[in-house]
Amino acid sequence: MSKKCIYDIVVIGGGLAGICASIAASRCGVKVALIHDRPLLGGNASGELRIHIAGADCSGSAIARYMRESGIIDEIRLGNLYNNPASSTDVFSLILRNHVQSEPNIDLFMNTRARKVRMKDKQTIQAVEADQATTEKEYLFEAGIFIDCTGDGYIGASAGADFRIGREARIEFNESEAPLEADSKTLPSCVEFYLKDMGVPVEFKPPGWAYKYETPEDLPYRDVGPESWKFAGLYSGFWWLSAGGNKQIISDSENNYEELIKVVMGIWDLIKNRMDHSADNFALDWISPVPGRRESRRFEGKHWLTQNNVMDGKIFKDQVAYGGWPIDIHPPEGVFSSQPPNIAIPLKRPYSIPLRCLYSKNISNLMFAGRDASYTHIGLGSPRVMATCAVTGQAAGTAAAVAVTRKKTPHQVQQEDILGIQEILLKQGAYISHCSLNDYDDIAKQAVLSASSEAGLKTPENEAAIGIEQGFSFEHSLFQLFPVSGNQIDFIETLIFSDRQVCLKASIFKAEDIWDFSSIKKPDEQIAASSVETTGSGQQWVRFPFKINNICPGLFLIKIEAVNNPGKARWLGSLNGPVGVVRGRVEAPPCARGNLAPDYQTMRGTFIFRTYPESKPYSVQNIINGVARPERWTNLWVSDMLSGNPEWVELAWNREVLIKQVNISFDGQFDSNVTWPPPLGVFGCRVLPAIVKRYSISVSNKGKWTTIQKIENNYQYNCCHTFTPIKADRLKITIYETNGAAEARIFEVRVYS
């Protein structure tokens, strides 16, 4: 006899999409069951598969900067950074479990396989039947809405939801990277393997059934060198070790896994026994027990996200999530293909994902998130990565909670309540392109703001303190995006090194947002230009006069190119740049489809420059503008340097108010990579340096100050403080110490009665 369990929402699948969907719905106050058929949470990111979490920031290498996902997934990743300094995948699975079980509105059912559905009618799921392998218990889960986050979409398929497997024909959605004819092929599945340094030479004898590769040429286009398997000191396997997309990706999965194990053994035999890779002391330590899938079923929603939506940076009115990973397409045959292992088309800017991609076209109470959402095969090449799956999960869980609370279908809330859903997502820390939080309950917007100090725009200039880079030469034109707070630009100074006289030409352009570099190859859009010749005597400040007046505050670009001797001058820079600036060079990034790639590359950090008059883009007024990351403006307050005395922001009301909740968003360093260890990422430091470590919240009523909250060891950038309601006419946030940054930074403060 099955045990009947009734919930508001049932989420099937405990990967990152399902976890974030469950947490988001739970925080909206509804009861959630999370059903997962494995012993570890995390899906491809779990200890079973150990695939790193990629996302819109491309592990720090995206063309578009400031792109790391915020919201629930980053809350999880920053918690992992702090509590899992060894970057253990097994510990990460436990951290995920703790996040889920800390939510009072979620019941977690591990090792529980949802077998099939019971339908109320042809368009409505009534319940899901499931059994728990470890206890032999049977369950019947009833709910108002079901969210399929299984990846393979087997619950939605059981309900009769429309779906596709395979590749669309090029003509159907006008996708240039789609095949001419439709077929049933998919992206291939992969396995990972880990190596261990034993400290002494060890032998490896492959089993007789292993594939044999005599030379690296037997694996065309696939790098088996030590710089690959020793990547960042992880001694890990190869991302291209995949196969099976030319077969039945689900029903042939076990046979595909056997093939991939033969490949693993063969490749390790090649590296160990037939190549000089200093692999003598290394041994196989771990191999994925199941293949990690990139694609299988894709449900049909009210909209198919296509290649063109992704590449154009489409912003939908019903957007609820975003992506930025390249369109990353692998040949279906995987390692058995004679073609390159993938085609990766980098993106110029984030694209939005509409809610219409996250609910079924024909089953009224079915939603989905992750790689089984409504994407074309080519469109899926970007949002299939796990951090993007996670933000779609948060969006689906939030929309589902709104739907069950208001007794509506997902389609109805998409049409009638999308602004409310977007507001909840923004409150939860999610990012939605060009969308600010207009929260009428937030009384911070009614306050008069002041601060202890407000920093100006300054790039690092002290070589001893920050290690000025050798810079980039002017063999390619170089550009710098920067904010201007006033209405004029008199001149800009740049720190240049040249050993010969070089004539440099600088042009000024307007940028709409932090990803807009469209003007740098359009001379007719330049606002002003100036030319200067370097002395050729080494490092010098070069001044470009402009005399630009009557401009509106915003983001601008300076592009500098060498008129002569381009290789004899360099613009010096630093990886430690101020928030809200972006640098780059006019050069197409490596891409197999060069005609589709941007004609520029951006880079972390900044070139070293000064603006006159000095720009003041870090006003305290930014903390109530409703945007919590750099976008069309810097959007944050930055203090002067913390030098022994605390810095503070203060909110004052012209009346007595009741305060019961304060939300603070510190600087989450959205241009930092939290996936890989140094030098690519920040693992080992445990906390992002810009996040405030020690701070207090105080209130005043008629001149009497009381400290109501004091935090000593913070490592999250989104901090919510709730307390017994207190009457006040002023509120002060005092910052004593960061986790490493020289100044205090706050993106957003919200206050509720």
Side-chain angles (χ1 to χ4, degrees):
M1 177 71 70
S2 297
K3 180 181 178 181
K4 190 174 182 179
C5 303
I6 301 176
Y7 291 89
D8 296 307
I9 296 169
V10 170
V11 179
I12 308 98
L16 295 184
I19 289 169
C20 290
S22 301
I23 293 174
S26 167
R27 291 178 179 178
C28 290
V30 300
K31 290 294 293 181
V32 182
L34 174 58
I35 305 169
H36 189 48
D37 62 354
R38 310 296 299 179
L40 297 175
L41 288 171
N44 281 348
S46 73
E48 287 191 286
L49 286 158
R50 304 188 183 183
I51 298 172
H52 74 275
I53 302 171
D57 67 333
C58 303
S59 302
S61 63
I63 296 292
R65 313 309 306 178
Y66 298 99
M67 288 281 286
R68 195 179 79 244
E69 291 78 5
S70 53
I72 294 170
I73 182 58
D74 216 34
E75 176 186 326
I76 290 170
R77 290 204 284 189
L78 293 183
N80 184 57
L81 190 68
Y82 185 78
N83 295 297
N84 186 14
S87 190
S88 163
T89 52
D90 293 321
V91 172
F92 180 58
S93 291
L94 291 176
I95 287 171
L96 292 174
R97 188 163 185 156
N98 178 64
H99 272 275
V100 171
Q101 293 183 321
S102 296
E103 295 292 331
N105 291 324
I106 300 177
D107 288 337
L108 176 63
F109 296 84
M110 297 291 290
N111 298 299
T112 303
R113 170 77 176 180
R115 300 190 310 268
K116 61 181 180 179
V117 302
R118 293 184 185 179
M119 302 296 290
K120 182 178 181 180
D121 52 51
K122 288 184 178 181
Q123 288 80 39
T124 312
I125 301 172
Q126 179 179 341
V128 168
E129 298 178 12
D131 58 74
Q132 193 169 50
T134 52
T135 63
E136 299 183 359
K137 293 178 181 177
E138 296 183 350
Y139 295 95
L140 184 67
F141 293 97
E142 293 187 358
I145 290 181
F146 297 83
I147 308 178
D148 189 327
C149 298
T150 61
D152 286 340
Y154 58 84
I155 288 300
S158 175
D162 293 339
F163 67 87
R164 295 182 179 186
I165 295 182
R167 305 187 293 185
E168 289 84 5
R170 184 174 302 174
I171 194 173
E172 183 175 2
F173 295 101
N174 190 31
E175 296 175 308
S176 64
E177 298 307 297
L180 289 174
E181 301 292 335
D183 58 37
S184 60
K185 295 179 180 180
T186 66
L187 296 171
S189 299
C190 67
V191 295
E192 292 276 311
F193 66 88
Y194 274 45
L195 306 175
K196 186 175 183 179
D197 187 346
M198 305 301 292
V200 296
V202 290
E203 294 184 357
F204 173 71
K205 293 183 179 180
W209 42 260
Y211 286 123
K212 192 164 187 177
Y213 303 104
E214 295 291 347
T215 69
E217 285 67 36
D218 292 337
L219 293 159
Y221 301 106
R222 286 148 179 90
D223 182 11
V224 293
E227 65 279 0
S228 181
W229 59 266
K230 285 188 176 182
F231 175 64
L234 291 177
Y235 309 118
S236 64
F238 304 106
W239 59 267
W240 46 259
L241 211 164
S242 57
N246 56 330
K247 301 176 182 179
Q248 297 299 312
I249 197 69
I250 296 175
S251 60
D252 288 338
S253 182
E254 292 299 321
N255 292 334
N256 187 36
Y257 181 69
E258 290 183 14
E259 288 289 288
L260 287 168
I261 295 301
K262 294 176 183 178
V263 174
V264 171
M265 294 298 176
I267 289 175
W268 184 234
D269 178 39
L270 169 66
I271 293 172
K272 184 80 173 173
N273 299 324
R274 276 182 288 285
M275 298 178 68
D276 182 14
H277 276 170
S278 304
D280 292 348
N281 292 2
F282 287 89
L284 281 171
D285 184 47
W286 174 87
I287 303 172
S288 306
V290 291
R293 292 204 185 111
R294 292 183 172 96
E295 179 185 10
S296 51
R297 294 184 184 93
R298 293 172 286 110
F299 289 115
E300 183 171 3
K302 289 288 186 177
H303 177 80
W304 288 106
L305 189 79
T306 68
Q307 172 191 336
N308 297 319
N309 293 159
V310 170
M311 293 192 63
D312 294 344
K314 175 77 172 178
I315 296 180
F316 296 92
K317 288 184 178 180
D318 63 330
Q319 61 169 322
V320 287
Y322 75 97
W325 183 259
I327 292 183
D328 184 10
I329 303 298
H330 299 233
E333 300 80 8
V335 73
F336 297 107
S337 171
S338 60
Q339 301 299 312
N342 77 323
I343 295 167
I345 304 170
L347 306 179
K348 297 179 180 180
R349 60 188 305 111
Y351 60 89
S352 68
I353 299 172
L355 182 55
R356 285 168 294 156
C357 287
L358 305 181
Y359 63 87
S360 173
K361 179 182 178 181
N362 67 307
I363 303 298
S364 64
N365 63 341
L366 173 66
M367 300 190 72
F368 25 78
R371 61 179 175 84
D372 61 4
S374 187
Y375 313 134
T376 66
H377 168 78
I378 300 297
L380 176 70
S382 174
R384 63 181 176 80
V385 292
M386 282 186 279
T388 311
C389 291
V391 295
T392 62
Q394 181 172 352
T398 301
V402 172
V404 296
T405 301
R406 301 183 182 181
K407 294 181 171 54
K408 297 181 180 180
T409 66
H411 177 61
Q412 287 172 327
V413 296
Q414 179 267 322
Q415 292 194 314
E416 301 168 7
D417 302 285
I418 189 61
L419 294 179
I421 293 169
Q422 291 171 337
E423 180 179 309
I424 294 170
L425 287 166
L426 291 170
K427 284 183 176 181
Q428 290 181 345
Y431 171 69
I432 300 175
S433 295
H434 289 190
C435 189
S436 61
L437 176 56
N438 297 314
D439 185 357
Y440 296 106
D441 294 328
D442 175 16
I443 61 173
K445 295 182 182 296
Q446 305 166 15
V448 175
L449 275 59
S450 59
S452 53
S453 61
E454 294 178 342
L457 178 64
K458 291 184 175 68
T459 56
E461 298 177 11
N462 186 337
E463 185 171 2
I466 54 85
I468 291 177
E469 295 173 342
Q470 291 300 306
F472 292 84
S473 79
F474 288 98
E475 292 174 317
H476 299 279
S477 298
L478 303 176
F479 60 85
Q480 178 76 53
L481 179 145
F482 59 95
V484 175
S485 60
N487 61 0
Q488 64 188 85
I489 303 174
D490 290 341
F491 56 88
I492 293 176
E493 291 184 336
T494 59
L495 191 60
I496 305 293
F497 180 93
S498 66
D499 55 12
R500 188 176 301 181
Q501 288 184 329
V502 179
C503 181
L504 298 177
K505 178 186 175 182
S507 304
I508 299 291
F509 301 88
K510 185 77 174 70
E512 292 302 316
D513 59 31
I514 207 159
W515 309 293
D516 177 21
F517 307 104
S518 59
S519 61
I520 56 178
K521 281 202 169 182
K522 299 176 181 177
D524 57 321
E525 293 188 11
Q526 74 178 22
I527 299 171
S530 177
S531 295
V532 176
E533 191 168 82
T534 69
T535 63
S537 58
Q539 182 174 302
Q540 69 173 113
W541 284 98
V542 174
R543 176 176 291 190
F544 295 96
F546 291 109
K547 293 295 182 183
I548 305 169
N549 297 305
N550 300 318
I551 57 175
C552 294
L555 301 180
F556 290 82
L557 288 159
I558 180 171
K559 182 180 77 169
I560 305 178
E561 52 194 327
V563 177
N564 64 339
N565 299 323
K568 299 301 180 180
R570 301 192 305 270
W571 193 353
L572 302 184
S574 171
L575 282 175
N576 302 298
V579 180
V581 303
V582 179
R583 63 173 172 172
R585 59 177 178 261
V586 181
E587 173 193 12
C591 176
R593 299 291 191 270
N595 61 315
L596 297 177
D599 51 11
Y600 58 85
Q601 295 191 58
T602 63
M603 300 165 281
R604 281 187 62 195
T606 182
F607 291 121
I608 299 174
F609 67 98
R610 301 168 179 162
T611 62
Y612 294 88
E614 182 185 20
S615 181
K616 293 275 193 178
Y618 304 119
S619 164
V620 71
Q621 297 300 322
N622 290 335
I623 68 174
I624 58 170
N625 72 4
V627 183
R629 72 166 64 204
E631 189 196 63
R632 288 182 280 194
W633 188 237
T634 61
N635 299 320
L636 85 163
W637 166 73
V638 180
S639 75
D640 289 340
M641 292 184 65
L642 283 161
S643 54
N645 295 318
E647 298 283 345
W648 50 263
V649 298
E650 184 176 306
L651 294 79
W653 291 269
N654 59 7
R655 67 188 190 284
E656 185 179 81
V657 297
L658 197 66
I659 298 173
K660 66 178 181 181
Q661 183 174 312
V662 177
N663 292 67
I664 310 170
S665 292
F666 298 113
D667 180 11
Q669 293 185 246
F670 297 110
D671 204 25
S672 295
N673 164 32
V674 298
T675 299
W676 292 112
L680 299 177
V682 296
F683 258 110
C685 76
R686 299 191 70 189
V687 189
L688 292 173
I691 292 177
V692 170
K693 181 179 182 179
R694 293 195 303 119
Y695 64 98
S696 65
I697 302 173
S698 305
V699 296
S700 170
N701 193 1
K702 299 178 181 179
K704 183 179 180 181
W705 285 95
T706 304
T707 299
I708 56 175
Q709 198 93 44
K710 193 161 188 178
I711 306 300
E712 293 291 339
N713 198 27
N714 178 54
Y715 59 87
Q716 292 283 358
Y717 63 83
N718 266 336
C719 300
C720 177
H721 302 281
T722 303
F723 28 78
T724 303
I726 187 169
K727 294 178 180 180
D729 51 31
R730 291 177 178 239
L731 181 144
K732 180 184 286 187
I733 300 167
T734 305
I735 296 170
Y736 305 96
E737 182 183 4
T738 70
N739 283 286
E743 64 283 318
R745 306 177 196 169
I746 296 178
F747 268 107
E748 185 175 57
V749 173
R750 290 182 279 119
V751 182
Y752 298 98
S753 296

